[in-house]
Structures are given as C-alpha cells and as structure tokens.
C-alpha cells in the first residue's frame, strides 16, 4: 500500500459505512496544495484500492471502506474461551510446516 493509499484508507475508515465523494477525499487527505494542483489525483489510488478489495464505489462515484466479515473476530473470541468448538478450523504451528518441508 502506497503512502497515498494509506492516508486515503485511514480517512475513509473514520466514517465506516458512509460513502465519501472524491472531492472530499482529495480536499481532506491531500491538503490545499494538492487540491489546487488537481482534484482527481486520488482516483488512481482509489481504483487500485477498489481492485484489491479495500474500498467499494457506488453509482455516484463515491467511495467507502469495504465491509470485512466478522468471521475472524468470532474465531479469535472462540480461542479465548476453553471448551468452545472451533468448527471446521485447523491450527497449524511452525513445527508442522518444518516437519512437512
């Protein structure tokens, strides 16, 4: 992730679930100088982030952070509670990998 993508991601992460226009993203992430030089400098970064599955775009060309499923959270929560079924999961240790290499 490039520095621009990092700042865009963290700006969008402030309002999860809300679509933000490219105009607002450029204005808040790039500052006044960047905004004055070109209003759509972030479009390349946002397109890359969209193809990587980090953000999503609506029909009005606004962007937001793509909702990540909470499956990982459930797994980590189950690890903290002894006796809870982990379902169809497997825990692999480094020793298992070294033994099979």
């Amino acid at each position: 992730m490039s520095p621009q993508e990092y700042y865009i991601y963290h700006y969008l992460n402030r309002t999860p679930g809300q679509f933000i226009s490219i105009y607002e993203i450029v204005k808040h992430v790039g500052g006044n100088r960047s905004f004055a030089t070109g209003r759509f400098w972030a479009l390349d970064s946002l397109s890359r982030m969209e193809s990587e599955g980090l953000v999503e775009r609506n029909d009005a060309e606004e962007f937001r952070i793509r909702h990540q499923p909470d499956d990982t959270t459930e797994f980590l929560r189950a690890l903290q509670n002894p006796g809870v079924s982990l379902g169809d999961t497997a825990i692999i240790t480094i020793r298992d990998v070294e033994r099979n290499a």
Side-chain angles (χ1 to χ4, degrees), residues 31-97:
N32 291 336
R33 185 172 23 138
S34 177
F35 183 74
T37 58
R39 294 185 179 178
F40 298 104
W41 61 264
L43 195 54
D44 289 338
S45 295
L46 284 163
S47 295
R48 242 187 334 272
M49 293 169 72
E50 183 181 20
S51 68
E52 292 173 1
L54 296 172
V55 299
E56 58 187 345
R57 178 190 319 215
N58 66 8
D59 294 334
E61 298 294 317
E62 297 172 327
F63 295 86
R64 72 176 176 187
I65 297 292
R66 182 178 297 273
H67 174 70
Q68 300 295 326
D70 295 333
D71 296 337
T72 304
T73 305
E74 293 299 322
F75 177 76
L76 294 175
R77 197 174 304 141
L79 282 176
Q80 296 172 352
N81 297 320
V84 173
S85 172
L86 297 178
D88 296 330
T89 59
I91 298 175
I92 300 171
T93 63
I94 191 69
R95 280 183 251 131
D96 295 332
V97 175

Side-chain angles (χ1 to χ4, degrees), residues 4 8-9 15 17 19 22-23 36 73 79:
Q4 285 180 338
I8 291 170
Y9 183 84
T15 54
F19 282 100
I22 185 91
Y23 177 82
T73 305
L79 282 176

